[in-house]
Amino acid sequence: MMKLKSKRFCRGSFKFGNGGNSVKGGEKRCGNNDNTIISEIKWELRPGGMLVQKRETSGSSIGEGMITVRVSTVSECHDVSIESTSTFGELKMILSLITSLEPREQRLLFKGKEREDDEYLHMVGVKDKDKVLLLEDPAIKEMKKLHRLAGTQQIGTPYCTISV
């Protein structure tokens, strides 16, 4: 993560207690008004290159950032817990363990569009309990069918002998 200089902004904050003179660490008074406090804004750089204000996390619990994605196939539905900052390729790897389809045989659709392996779930907008559709790649499905047919057919002689 990049460290950027932060600017100080005045923002109104109504803190009561100790006659309004209590100041938290890292905050300074702004102007003549006792209720206005200066605080530093921390910034973070997201994977997509967007610079945003860093969120304050009051308590970090185990599994924070984990989302449950409902993956629906033609006949089955699976609930998969995964980090929200994971890629669709990582989701395919988890699904390969559940569905016995190799990642290259899978097509994942979210909001009606096929998603590439290097796209991040949170950047596309996948939230907790969202539905992702899993389809088998039609080209690979056809190849499997042809291999299955070729394995079951008896190979006969290519010519017949005719005697007169």
Side-chain angles (χ1 to χ4, degrees):
M1 184 182 335
M2 294 178 59
K3 187 172 181 179
L4 302 169
K5 281 191 170 184
S6 60
K7 293 192 174 192
R8 294 178 186 259
F9 294 100
C10 292
R11 75 176 164 188
S13 174
F14 300 99
K15 305 275 184 203
F16 296 108
N18 297 338
N21 293 329
S22 63
V23 179
K24 291 184 176 179
E27 296 178 338
K28 297 180 181 176
R29 298 286 179 196
C30 178
N32 295 331
N33 189 352
D34 285 338
N35 292 332
T36 307
I37 296 175
I38 295 176
S39 64
E40 289 191 33
I41 297 176
K42 297 188 171 137
W43 300 92
E44 68 178 332
L45 190 62
R46 293 278 172 89
M50 182 181 286
L51 183 67
V52 295
Q53 185 176 352
K54 190 171 186 176
R55 294 184 201 144
E56 298 282 330
T57 54
S58 57
S60 60
S61 61
I62 297 174
E64 187 170 290
M66 295 289 285
I67 59 173
T68 302
V69 178
R70 176 159 287 175
V71 180
S72 177
T73 61
V74 176
S75 59
E76 299 173 343
C77 190
H78 306 284
D79 287 335
V80 178
S81 293
I82 191 168
E83 288 279 334
S84 63
T85 56
S86 300
T87 62
F88 279 92
E90 292 167 352
L91 180 60
K92 283 183 179 184
M93 292 296 286
I94 293 171
L95 289 171
S96 68
L97 300 172
I98 298 170
T99 62
S100 72
L101 283 175
E102 290 295 319
R104 63 182 181 85
E105 298 173 353
Q106 300 174 11
R107 299 290 172 140
L108 291 177
L109 300 169
F110 179 68
K111 290 188 178 179
K113 295 180 182 174
E114 183 179 345
R115 300 300 175 172
E116 297 296 323
D117 290 349
D118 58 347
E119 288 184 274
Y120 289 94
L121 297 173
H122 71 286
M123 297 298 285
V124 174
V126 179
K127 304 264 190 274
D128 193 32
K129 302 288 184 192
D130 277 354
K131 186 176 181 180
V132 175
L133 185 64
L134 170 66
L135 299 173
E136 187 175 355
D137 187 6
I140 294 177
K141 195 174 184 179
E142 271 305 307
M143 284 177 42
K144 281 183 179 179
K145 189 190 295 183
L146 289 174
H147 286 296
R148 205 172 28 246
L149 286 175
T152 60
Q153 285 183 342
Q154 294 289 333
I155 299 176
T157 56
Y159 59 92
C160 295
T161 307
I162 302 175
S163 58
V164 183

